[in-house]
Amino acid sequence: MEAIEELAVQPCTSSLYLRPFRLSYRQNGTKKYWDFMRTHDSVSILIFNTSRQCFVVVKQFRPAVYMCEVERHHPQVFQNQDKGSFPSLENPLPAAVGVTYELCAGIVDKPGLSLEEIACEEVLEECGYRVSTANLRRITSYRSGVGVTGSRQTLFYAEVNDQMRTSGGGGQPEEGELIEVVEIPLGESMKFAYDETFPKTMGVIFSFMWFHNNIAPKLPKK
């Protein structure tokens, strides 16, 4: 996962996933404009394995996170972006600085499928568990990246057990996915959520808190 080589930054002139726009408008008499990106909505799934009392999350390399760290250490990388040229990334940072812990998730790009069906597909592809839509509980939906994309993510909860696992997961290599499945023991989950040495999404923190408030009190006492 972390054997990243031959890094090169270049202008993005077209994309299957992002479309940049500029909105001009007048607000309370003041002329304004705002740059934003249109992108897909998404689903995410908090997975709890009842057999081993642990959360199932994913770990993967995120180029955007990596480049934020690169720019923090080497601000000159993006200084010539308006000229369409970028300095080469000599002596790049370790790829580990771009690896994050996340909920199982996926974009909503299949018009024929419901959000629940897409979520089930993602659980199987990324984590290897076969769940049905009846196994899903919708927690809530929220806006992410409100300053840039404003896309909606819908969060589900799914309980699984060892018998429901049919593969090792890991995503779809033909789509460039390289995902590691990680188990977080229930008893260590809140410590993990607030430990900044483990880079993670807000979805992980929020969903762990939701679980401890709504599901944990109903678990059988040991």
Side-chain angles (χ1 to χ4, degrees):
M1 176 184 292
E2 298 175 9
I4 306 297
E5 302 173 310
E6 301 180 10
L7 292 103
V9 180
Q10 55 194 1
C12 179
T13 56
S14 64
S15 171
L16 296 174
Y17 307 104
L18 302 173
R19 291 179 293 154
F21 294 95
R22 173 168 292 181
L23 177 69
S24 61
Y25 60 102
R26 188 176 297 277
Q27 184 178 21
N28 292 350
T30 301
K31 188 68 176 178
K32 295 182 177 182
Y33 71 88
W34 193 267
D35 297 335
F36 67 98
M37 290 276 191
R38 284 300 303 125
T39 186
H40 294 284
D41 289 342
S42 61
V43 296
S44 60
I45 310 95
L46 172 63
I47 305 171
F48 183 68
N49 185 314
T50 58
S51 298
R52 290 195 299 282
Q53 297 288 289
C54 67
F55 296 106
V56 181
V57 301
V58 298
K59 180 181 176 184
Q60 57 187 318
F61 175 78
R62 289 297 195 180
V65 174
Y66 179 81
M67 291 309 298
C68 282
E69 289 299 306
V70 169
E71 185 179 18
R72 188 165 67 88
H73 289 82
H74 306 289
Q76 72 277 9
V77 168
F78 292 106
Q79 287 178 351
N80 296 322
Q81 58 180 318
D82 293 333
K83 301 177 182 178
S85 62
F86 296 84
S88 60
L89 295 178
E90 299 178 1
N91 301 315
L93 297 176
V97 303
V99 174
T100 59
Y101 294 83
E102 311 168 15
L103 296 179
C104 172
I107 61 175
V108 177
D109 61 349
K110 299 172 183 175
L113 298 182
S114 67
L115 296 180
E116 289 79 6
E117 289 170 328
I118 293 174
C120 289
E121 284 192 353
E122 295 298 335
V123 172
L124 180 61
E125 292 172 4
E126 294 191 359
C127 300
Y129 292 91
R130 187 174 298 278
V131 301
S132 70
T133 56
N135 295 129
L136 295 178
R137 171 177 174 179
R138 181 172 177 147
I139 298 176
T140 189
S141 65
Y142 45 82
R143 297 289 181 176
S144 59
V146 292
V148 180
T149 67
S151 59
R152 181 189 298 275
Q153 182 165 92
T154 302
L155 173 62
F156 294 97
Y157 171 64
E159 289 186 357
V160 300
N161 55 50
D162 288 344
Q163 288 69 44
M164 296 167 67
R165 193 167 195 187
T166 60
S167 73
Q172 295 183 305
E174 65 273 16
E175 295 183 3
E177 292 182 326
L178 183 59
I179 295 171
E180 179 181 342
V181 181
V182 179
E183 295 182 345
I184 309 296
L186 175 59
E188 301 173 15
S189 58
M190 291 313 297
K191 179 181 178 181
F192 171 84
Y194 288 101
D195 188 339
E196 295 183 15
T197 64
F198 295 102
K200 65 189 72 67
T201 62
M202 179 54 70
V204 171
I205 300 173
F206 169 77
S207 61
F208 281 12
M209 292 176 64
W210 174 88
F211 182 94
H212 279 274
N213 288 331
N214 295 274
I215 304 298
K218 304 173 185 177
L219 293 176
K221 301 298 182 181
K222 293 186 177 180

